[in-house]
Amino acid sequence: MAALTTDVTEITVIGDDDTGLIARVTSLLFERGVNIEDLDQAVRDGVFRMYLAVDTSEMVCTEGTLRSDLHDLGDDLGLDVQVRFPSDREHQQIAVLVTKESHGLEALFEAWANDELGADIGVVIGNHDDLQPLAEHYDVPFHDIGNENGQQNEDELLALLEEYDVDLIVLARYMRILSPNVVFRYEDRIINIHPSLLPAFPGAEAYRQAIEEGVRVAGVTAHYVTTDLDQGPIITQRAFDVPDDADVDEMKRRGQPLEADALLEAVQLHLNGDVSVHRGRTSVRENGTEYQLGLPDELEEFTPDRPIDGIGSAVAEDH
């Protein structure tokens, strides 16, 4: 997917896979003077997604008319069509998805309260109600969409995301996998924090996996969510030493503050438009020096800068 710029209109089409869908949508845009700058499509588990980045600066209709026409076409074809004009993104809304661990949500709330987030936290959604008091403390609506076993109701989730007009979804240790029906609607707009240095130790119990493999350095990764579990484009990472006698509780004690830090930085990168995704990898724009991204600069002085390959040939030339 091409890098998103703030003056691009985004169109996302979701539905059952069928022939002729792309032609119908692109023809409608062409007839209204809309120029397609990027088009990406995918099918997963029978769910079709098409993403278009388009230039509407010279279209021959109003924004309201284009939105209405696309919605009408979607109704005719049995598709869900979302349209986001540049003006829709001026005051971005975040939905934070949580389970029981509070550290990620707490970091986001603190940054928001200190005007350091760059967007509003519009809603907190959980598959358990453990963190409802924390959300209420910040006067943010909380919705529990889980049953007694914590299984999420995705129809309710999608309805809430639409109700709160969500621009970015943040998974703050949300312990459920989102289906393509959700992920496809918010491509490159879902950020997750995972307690390992991906691509190592994906999936559940990442800290335990790290201990069992005997690693000396572990870490955390904030990444965009795709339909492949814990394989989405990496945004930020943090690392920490693993003591020889570390257990899972010690790993959490060392890792959770870094999880919160990496997640917050990834969210700020996204909201500030300082990160883009291309061919499954992220790149940071000219403001990248303002972020830590990985290890802190202070560690450079402890990193040896020699020996490196090449000294052998240099010695040979002297003889």
Side-chain angles (χ1 to χ4, degrees), residues 53-75:
V54 303
D55 180 2
T56 54
S57 61
E58 298 183 5
M59 66 179 177
V60 295
C61 65
T62 65
E63 290 185 357
T65 297
L66 180 62
R67 194 190 301 268
S68 177
D69 289 348
L70 284 167
H71 286 168
D72 289 344
L73 178 61
D75 291 341

Side-chain angles (χ1 to χ4, degrees), residues 94-137:
I94 297 174
V96 186
L97 272 58
V98 297
T99 296
K100 296 184 178 183
E101 297 181 44
S102 64
H103 51 282
L105 179 61
E106 184 177 352
L108 292 166
F109 271 144
E110 288 178 354
W112 181 44
N114 293 326
D115 294 324
E116 298 171 354
L117 194 57
D120 288 329
I121 300 176
V123 63
V124 177
I125 303 171
N127 63 320
H128 293 281
D129 63 1
D130 296 56
L131 299 186
Q132 184 169 351
L134 182 57
E136 290 176 345
H137 176 74

Side-chain angles (χ1 to χ4, degrees), residues 177-247:
I177 297 173
L178 300 177
S179 78
N181 201 31
V182 177
V183 175
F184 275 169
R185 284 173 163 80
Y186 295 91
E187 190 87 359
D188 294 338
R189 290 194 285 140
I190 308 175
I191 295 176
N192 181 50
I193 185 67
H194 183 75
S196 81
L197 289 173
L198 291 174
F201 314 131
E205 299 287 345
Y207 286 143
R208 186 179 301 279
Q209 291 182 62
I211 292 174
E212 291 173 351
E213 292 295 330
V215 302
R216 295 300 184 184
V217 175
V220 304
T221 303
H223 66 97
Y224 284 113
V225 172
T226 65
T227 54
D228 296 312
L229 179 63
D230 294 331
Q231 295 183 41
I234 291 170
I235 309 172
T236 58
Q237 294 185 303
R238 299 288 188 269
F240 60 91
D241 280 329
V242 180
D244 192 58
D245 59 351
D247 58 14

Side-chain angles (χ1 to χ4, degrees), residues 26 34 49 52 73-74 94 109 111 122 137 151 156 158 168 196 224 241 252 263 290 302 308:
T26 55
V34 176
R49 175 193 62 84
L52 303 101
L73 178 61
I94 297 174
F109 271 144
H137 176 74
Q151 184 62 46
E156 186 177 356
L158 286 171
L168 175 66
S196 81
Y224 284 113
D241 280 329
K252 288 182 178 180
L263 179 63
E290 300 177 8
F302 299 105
I308 59 174

Side-chain angles (χ1 to χ4, degrees), residues 232-271:
I234 291 170
I235 309 172
T236 58
Q237 294 185 303
R238 299 288 188 269
F240 60 91
D241 280 329
V242 180
D244 192 58
D245 59 351
D247 58 14
V248 172
D249 287 340
E250 175 64 15
M251 296 285 281
K252 288 182 178 180
R253 187 188 70 78
R254 291 177 177 238
Q256 285 181 349
L258 297 179
E259 291 177 32
D261 191 58
L263 179 63
L264 177 59
E265 183 177 70
V267 169
Q268 291 170 327
L269 273 159
H270 176 93
L271 293 172

Side-chain angles (χ1 to χ4, degrees), residues 4 29 58-59 79 121 167 181 228 236 258 260 265 283 287 301 311 315:
L4 173 65
L29 297 175
E58 298 183 5
M59 66 179 177
L79 301 171
I121 300 176
D167 298 290
N181 201 31
D228 296 312
T236 58
L258 297 179
E265 183 177 70
S283 59
N287 296 326
E301 63 180 287
I311 190 66
V315 171

